[in-house]
């Protein structure tokens, strides 16, 4: 079946630095992607989404980049803060199908 | 807060028992999806309900079943519990349509002993 994987299982950054979390997806038919943040003991929290007709989308302190040629997704967090420490998941979805496929996540550690 | 609430937050059951988990979707959302999240892994899709009908199912056995009510709240039922069913069960609601964001509840932590 389809799979969504992340290159780095753990990422440690200094407070104030920018963070980049990467995600590879295998289904070229996927056309909608979401980044989620999950803190310990909580459900995934929606961060930002992007559709396949776009290659970049910006939110507050976050930017998602989509490269359909190499099936790669990234989440950039500017000026990383201690509150950004969590596990980040990318999720992909194919139009006309009802389920999201999640990767195993990347743990972001922000050092003060 | 997403407006998606799940109950209970924690549950301990014995192998072979049955369990019912509940989810109230966000106001205005008619679609509810259920996911299972094992420790250290990403959520795995169980099934989705749209306007009270099952609308897609993942690779889970029939002992995982669900319901959606007219107010769009939902239940997940698991029969004949197995030890491997221990996980965080997540409910996500969305407004319907194929490419809309899904908002998750805080989950129910199920432990099967």
């Amino acid at each position: 079946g389809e799979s969504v994987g992340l290159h780095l299982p753990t990422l440690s950054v200094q407070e104030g630095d920018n963070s980049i979390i990467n995600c590879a997806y295998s289904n070229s038919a996927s056309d909608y992607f979401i980044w989620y943040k999950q803190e310990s003991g909580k459900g995934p929290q929606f961060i930002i989404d992007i559709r396949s007709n776009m290659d970049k989308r910006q939110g507050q302190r976050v930017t998602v980049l989509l490269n359909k040629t190499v099936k790669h997704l990234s989440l950039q967090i500017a000026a990383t803060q201690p509150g950004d420490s969590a596990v980040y998941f990318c999720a992909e979805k194919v139009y006309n199908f009802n389920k999201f496929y999640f990767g195993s996540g990347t743990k972001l550690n922000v050092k003060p | 807060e997403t407006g998606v609430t799940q109950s209970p937050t924690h549950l301990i059951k014995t192998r072979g028992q049955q369990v019912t988990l509940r989810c109230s979707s966000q106001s205005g959302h008619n679609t509810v999806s259920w996911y299972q999240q094992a420790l250290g892994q990403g959520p795995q899709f169980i099934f989705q309900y749209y306007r009270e009908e099952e609308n897609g199912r993942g690779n889970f056995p029939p002992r995982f079943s669900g319901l959606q009510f007219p107010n769009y709240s939902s239940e997940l039922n698991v029969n004949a519990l197995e030890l491997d069913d221990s996980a965080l069960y997540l409910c996500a609601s969305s407004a319907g349509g194929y490419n809309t964001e899904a908002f998750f509840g805080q989950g129910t932590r199920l432990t099967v002993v």
Side-chain angles (χ1 to χ4, degrees):
Chain A
E2 295 83 5
S3 66
V4 176
L6 300 176
H7 296 310
L8 298 172
T10 304
L11 178 65
S12 293
V13 300
Q14 207 69 38
E15 181 179 358
D17 287 351
N18 296 332
S19 303
I20 300 176
I21 301 172
N22 296 301
C23 175
Y25 63 96
S26 59
N27 189 350
S28 57
S30 292
D31 62 352
Y32 181 56
F33 306 85
I34 296 180
W35 278 101
Y36 286 96
K37 170 188 179 184
Q38 188 173 27
E39 297 173 280
S40 181
K42 297 185 178 181
Q45 175 188 352
F46 174 93
I47 300 173
I48 192 168
D49 62 355
I50 189 167
R51 289 170 170 75
S52 59
N53 61 351
M54 304 172 70
D55 53 20
K56 181 179 180 179
R57 190 153 189 245
Q58 289 184 288
Q60 187 177 9
R61 279 201 309 120
V62 295
T63 301
V64 55
L65 299 177
L66 174 62
N67 185 331
K68 294 182 288 293
T69 302
V70 296
K71 291 183 286 192
H72 184 268
L73 197 67
S74 68
L75 176 70
Q76 300 177 0
I77 304 173
T80 314
Q81 303 168 358
D84 295 326
S85 294
V87 176
Y88 289 80
F89 294 97
C90 66
E92 65 174 294
K93 186 172 177 291
V94 177
Y95 185 79
N96 243 20
F97 288 84
N98 303 316
K99 53 185 171 180
F100 281 94
Y101 293 94
F102 285 79
S104 56
T106 291
K107 183 174 175 62
L108 177 64
N109 290 322
V110 181
K111 297 176 285 187
Chain B
E1 296 297 324
T2 63
V4 181
T5 58
Q6 293 185 241
S7 63
T9 55
H10 296 83
L11 199 54
I12 299 175
K13 287 286 190 178
T14 303
R15 189 172 50 184
Q17 284 187 314
Q18 179 267 343
V19 69
T20 298
L21 310 181
R22 295 178 175 83
C23 171
S24 294
S25 60
Q26 185 170 329
S27 177
H29 286 183
N30 56 17
T31 302
V32 172
S33 302
W34 286 92
Y35 289 79
Q36 180 195 66
Q37 186 177 22
L39 200 61
Q41 297 187 18
Q44 299 294 312
F45 177 78
I46 302 175
F47 44 57
Q48 183 184 84
Y49 278 83
Y50 171 67
R51 294 184 175 179
E52 302 179 58
E53 304 234 344
E54 187 178 290
N55 189 36
R57 189 178 182 94
N59 295 325
F60 282 82
R63 58 190 186 84
F64 286 78
S65 63
L67 282 173
Q68 188 178 32
F69 301 99
N71 66 355
Y72 303 130
S73 66
S74 178
E75 287 183 354
L76 165 65
N77 299 291
V78 187
N79 294 323
L81 284 166
E82 301 177 0
L83 297 179
D84 284 350
D85 295 333
S86 296
L88 181 68
Y89 288 85
L90 295 161
C91 164
S93 80
S94 57
Y98 288 110
N99 283 354
T100 58
E101 56 266 37
F103 296 95
F104 284 85
Q106 82 283 5
T108 294
R109 172 70 63 187
L110 173 65
T111 302
V112 183
V113 297

